[in-house]
Amino acid sequence: MPRLPERLLMAAGLSLLLLPLGLVINPELGLGPLAGLWLSGTLLGWLGLSFRILLWGSGLCAVLIAAVVFTPLTRTLAEGLIVNEAPQKADLIVVLGGGMHCGVGELEASSLARLEKGLELWRAGYAPRITLSPTFRTPQP
């Protein structure tokens, strides 16, 4: 078992693996809560039993992160989200507006691709109307 100062340093490093986990749970966590999560993981890891739990937990997190990043697991899981159905007649075509900058009049590439597909469906007669959903962004402090 490492000595106390070494264990504190190791706990501080291992508790850094808690930060991606915290962001997965709540992607809008600010710097303060993330620092609190790191500090609490460090202090809990300083204790004997908690250190072992932190060591095993961080190892498990590292293996899971590696499995997502370095294997085709992400692609396999995302395949269930892809819908390959023929378009059907509807009352309205809604094009999602993510990546649309209304004040500037610019479209990001992903937004432009969605708009082009929506216009293609509208011209083909799948719906009599087409609309763009607004992009809601929280104001930055």
Side-chain angles (χ1 to χ4, degrees):
M1 186 61 100
R3 291 179 306 167
L4 208 53
E6 293 170 347
R7 189 176 355 168
L8 182 63
L9 288 174
M10 287 176 65
L14 291 173
S15 64
L16 285 175
L17 288 172
L18 293 174
L19 301 183
L21 184 63
L23 288 173
V24 165
I25 293 170
N26 185 357
E28 296 181 13
L29 276 178
L31 188 58
L34 283 175
L37 184 64
W38 173 76
L39 186 59
S40 62
T42 300
L43 293 177
L44 284 173
W46 193 19
L47 306 172
L49 179 62
S50 298
F51 180 77
R52 288 188 187 107
I53 293 171
L54 182 62
L55 186 63
W56 281 97
S58 61
L60 181 63
C61 284
V63 167
L64 290 174
I65 290 169
V68 168
V69 172
F70 297 114
T71 67
L73 178 65
T74 304
R75 182 179 304 136
T76 303
L77 293 173
E79 285 177 357
L81 301 174
I82 298 172
V83 177
N84 289 323
E85 294 179 4
Q88 299 177 5
K89 295 267 184 185
D91 296 330
L92 175 70
I93 296 170
V94 178
V95 177
L96 300 178
M100 181 174 57
H101 306 287
C102 296
V104 183
E106 295 179 358
L107 291 174
E108 293 179 6
S110 59
S111 186
L112 181 61
R114 287 191 302 272
L115 179 59
E116 287 174 345
K117 183 64 177 180
L119 288 171
E120 177 185 317
L121 293 170
W122 176 72
R123 284 189 200 116
Y126 284 102
R129 297 176 306 190
I130 185 170
T131 187
L132 288 165
S133 72
T135 302
F136 296 105
R137 296 181 191 251
T138 55
Q140 300 296 325

